[in-house]
Amino acid sequence: MEHTSSILNPNPNPNAYTLDSPHPVYAMAFSTSTSAPFRLALGSFLEEYNNRVDIVTFDEESTTFRAEPALSFDHPYPATKLMFHPREIPGSTSSLIASSGDFLRLWQVNHDGDGAGKSELRSVLNNSKSSDFCAPLTSFDWNDAEPRRIGTSSIDTTCTVWDIERGAVETQLIAHDKEVYDIAWGEAGVFASVSADSSVRIFDLRDKEHSTIVYESPRPDTPLLRLAWNKSNLRYMAAIQMDSNRIIILDIRSPAVPVAELQRHRACVNALAWAPQAPRHLCSAGDDGQALIWEVPAADTPGTMLPPEGLDPLLGYSAPAEINQLQWSAAHPDWIGIAFANKVQLLRV
């Protein structure tokens, strides 16, 4: 498939740069290498078996995108999530990308810097011993502290921790009473998950028989869909519920009651990302076409009180359509990526 790309800027914001894709975009990942120009992986969202993952580069100096069709690859079904290996080596000519969907897959992307190269499927990880099929994976997270570990969440109520170096399951846990929709690592052996059972739970691999419920929604029939664990301050998590305009901020030292509920979106929130290097900044995006950056109150600062009318965002950006996806680049923290319809937009913050 020919991939065309162009710069559009229909918005008054001079710090927004737009890529047109030939298909709707859902999954998105920034490369983790600090090398420039940086790469993005973009997953198509087509309601059919044949989907794509396109690799594009973005040059910060010229603020231009370049498609890399030689590196792009076909993907079975839409990818529910994409991630680059968390410790890419600057200047390396090879990248490892993980994707979730019907299975967890690892892809080797070999590039020479001149638009040449190729991508190849390295492994398909299936934890079903009795079948060639696997319950669909809703999400996954790659462990920063222990990159051989990837944790997946599934509609079959389980979370699975893979050792990707051995290609084997390290452990599988029945994590919730209903479908598990998202998973996030906090430490090398600690992860959290959210579920259709309306709870946020933390699991420690040193004690697999127990979990800690850090939050249960007062709306027990409303699934929690997304979870973001703040890597700069592991006390804080953020979660969103289905069809809700609220973002729930949790302090795991004071579970059960949220530190704050952020309520300035005018429609349901779809995506969350903590700032990679600012411990109290969070970005959210939703069906109102807004990407909002918040400064979460410091719970242990004397005199810190939320105003009764709630917290206002520090910054806001409006896109021309519902925003489905949001990522904040860890290697290039001045950049946030959002996806709506068949467009990807990079925002310089």
Side-chain angles (χ1 to χ4, degrees):
M1 178 186 294
E2 183 178 352
H3 190 300
T4 59
S5 64
S6 61
I7 291 293
L8 301 174
N9 200 0
N11 305 284
N13 184 350
N15 292 315
Y17 305 94
T18 307
L19 168 76
D20 274 339
S21 169
H23 32 242
V25 175
Y26 177 66
M28 173 171 55
F30 282 96
S31 60
T32 58
S33 169
T34 53
S35 299
F38 59 78
R39 285 184 168 78
L40 295 104
L42 308 173
S44 66
F45 188 82
L46 303 171
E47 294 184 23
E48 58 186 65
Y49 180 81
N50 297 313
N51 275 260
R52 294 275 298 165
V53 173
D54 286 314
I55 308 297
V56 300
T57 57
F58 181 73
D59 189 306
E60 292 181 82
E61 291 188 10
S62 62
T63 62
T64 54
F65 292 93
R66 187 182 76 184
E68 299 214 44
L71 304 183
S72 302
F73 51 90
D74 293 326
H75 192 279
Y77 303 106
T80 53
K81 189 170 182 178
L82 295 166
M83 290 185 78
F84 283 80
H85 189 288
R87 294 189 190 173
E88 284 194 294
I89 300 169
S92 171
T93 58
S94 177
S95 299
L96 193 63
I97 295 176
S99 68
S100 55
D102 53 343
F103 300 107
L104 179 66
R105 291 178 171 86
L106 296 174
W107 309 83
Q108 189 83 36
V109 179
N110 301 305
H111 43 81
D112 65 5
D114 295 321
K118 66 174 184 175
S119 296
E120 54 191 2
L121 179 62
R122 202 173 96 171
S123 53
V124 179
L125 302 174
N126 177 10
N127 63 353
S128 174
K129 298 175 178 60
S130 59
S131 167
D132 289 336
F133 300 96
C134 174
L137 302 177
T138 51
S139 188
F140 72 93
D141 195 23
W142 209 324
N143 194 315
D144 285 339
E146 191 68 81
R148 65 182 176 85
R149 282 179 174 157
I150 292 179
T152 63
S153 56
S154 172
I155 64 169
D156 68 1
T157 76
T158 66
C159 289
T160 303
V161 177
W162 286 92
D163 182 331
I164 62 168
E165 291 179 0
R166 295 190 299 122
V169 172
E170 183 175 338
T171 190
Q172 184 176 39
L173 304 168
I174 297 176
H176 289 265
D177 302 326
K178 295 182 180 178
E179 298 96 327
V180 190
Y181 286 127
D182 206 2
I183 182 172
W185 289 101
E187 302 172 36
V190 179
F191 68 85
S193 56
V194 291
S195 163
D197 66 12
S198 306
S199 70
V200 180
R201 303 187 186 196
I202 294 178
F203 298 83
D204 190 325
L205 297 182
R206 293 166 296 188
D207 182 8
K208 299 171 188 173
E209 301 301 314
H210 302 94
S211 65
T212 302
I213 298 176
V214 291
Y215 178 74
E216 287 186 292
S217 169
R219 299 161 59 197
D221 296 328
T222 305
L224 290 168
L225 294 184
R226 287 287 168 258
L227 176 70
W229 201 333
N230 187 342
K231 299 291 170 41
S232 298
N233 185 343
L234 291 172
R235 286 173 38 196
Y236 289 113
M237 293 180 177
I240 52 178
Q241 289 182 300
M242 180 182 285
D243 299 327
S244 172
N245 71 328
R246 299 185 177 201
I247 301 142
I248 301 158
I249 306 297
L250 303 171
D251 181 341
I252 63 173
R253 301 182 314 171
S254 308
V257 180
V259 174
E261 291 194 25
L262 311 178
Q263 307 178 43
R264 291 297 183 264
H265 280 281
R266 297 187 295 270
C268 68
V269 182
N270 296 323
L272 295 167
W274 290 97
Q277 297 176 357
R280 289 167 49 203
H281 288 168
L282 175 78
C283 189
S284 60
D287 275 1
D288 57 0
Q290 290 197 100
L292 304 178
I293 296 179
W294 310 80
E295 185 173 37
V296 175
D300 55 359
T301 301
T304 299
M305 293 288 289
L306 282 178
E309 69 276 10
L311 201 66
D312 285 327
L314 286 177
L315 295 168
Y317 171 77
S318 292
E322 299 171 352
I323 301 173
N324 301 312
Q325 183 60 264
L326 157 73
Q327 297 291 330
W328 201 324
S329 173
H332 302 268
D334 292 342
W335 293 96
I336 290 173
I338 58 174
F340 52 91
N342 69 328
K343 292 177 171 45
V344 170
Q345 213 160 61
L346 294 186
L347 311 176
R348 194 201 300 266
V349 294

